[in-house]
Amino acid sequence: MLSNAQSKYIRSLSQQKYRKQYKVFLAEGDKIAREWLATAGPIQMIVATEDWAEENKQLIHGHSEAELCIVTADELERVSVLQAAHKALLVVPYPPIAAELPTSGWSIVTERVQDPGNLGTIIRIADWFGVQHVVCSPDCADFYNPKVVQAAMGGHLRVQLHVTELVPFVRDTDLTTIAATLGGTSIYEIEKPDSGILMIGNESKGLSDEILQCADMKVTIPRLGGAESLNAGVSAGILTAFLAGR
């Protein structure tokens, strides 16, 4: 059973200011919780129903540092940030900040991506294709927003996440910079580089002029039907599959 103080603490982590204050975030859901428990990384608190805790007791035993709270499904629903509560929720410390920006391989850069679902999807896409770095502008959605964590489906464990001012990074990198924009060259007509940086912009405004001016290549996904546009997550998936896929 959770105390009132514990419940208030967990619910507060839906807000970025408290995540930053306490330097922790929520990882919620059966698959996500099991992935985190299977790693050696620290976990502050495990909140789970009795049946889930019993099913995963070996994983839980590997994290003796974590406070284990057995709760009912109703209790978990009251502190859950999801529309439909799962059977487990973890409070996880922020990982060490990835200090070095990427200098090789493929990376995805996001500028002003505001929708947490899109950002989480982009992290998941990077994870799927073995893209090791996602670099965001400071005005993107928070990496540790619960909806980002949920959409990334464990990608936070394998993808290095960075926040930095993008213009100096994109301007000074030796990697090929590829900007996704409606006015670019068809992705199917370019000579695909072996490595580079794919840049994805804001959901409604795209990439800024400053970033576009730094780009070595401007590409687009040709439209064959009647849809007005693709969202940032879908665009990132198609472009990453073409550029970084094998």
Side-chain angles (χ1 to χ4, degrees), residues 139-154:
D139 47 3
C140 280
D142 176 25
F143 280 137
Y144 302 105
N145 180 303
K147 292 181 180 179
V148 174
V149 177
Q150 189 69 23
M153 290 300 291

Side-chain angles (χ1 to χ4, degrees), residues 62-98:
H63 286 274
S64 57
E65 83 285 358
E67 180 181 5
L68 175 61
C69 300
I70 302 299
V71 296
T72 66
D74 287 344
E75 283 183 290
L76 191 56
E77 186 171 0
R78 285 195 288 272
V79 297
S80 172
V81 295
L82 304 179
Q83 288 185 338
H86 291 264
K87 292 186 175 184
L89 174 154
L90 307 180
V91 178
V92 184
Y94 276 9
I97 296 172

Side-chain angles (χ1 to χ4, degrees), residues 27-28 31-33 35-36 39 120 123-124 127 148-159:
E28 185 170 1
K31 182 178 183 299
I32 291 174
E35 278 206 66
W36 247 282
T39 72
I123 296 170
R124 188 175 183 181
D127 190 20
V148 174
V149 177
Q150 189 69 23
M153 290 300 291
H156 287 70
L157 292 166
R158 291 171 289 274
V159 178

Side-chain angles (χ1 to χ4, degrees), residues 51-72:
D51 59 333
W52 192 92
E54 178 62 26
E55 290 170 8
N56 295 278
K57 61 184 178 182
Q58 294 302 321
L59 290 174
I60 292 172
H61 286 163
H63 286 274
S64 57
E65 83 285 358
E67 180 181 5
L68 175 61
C69 300
I70 302 299
V71 296
T72 66

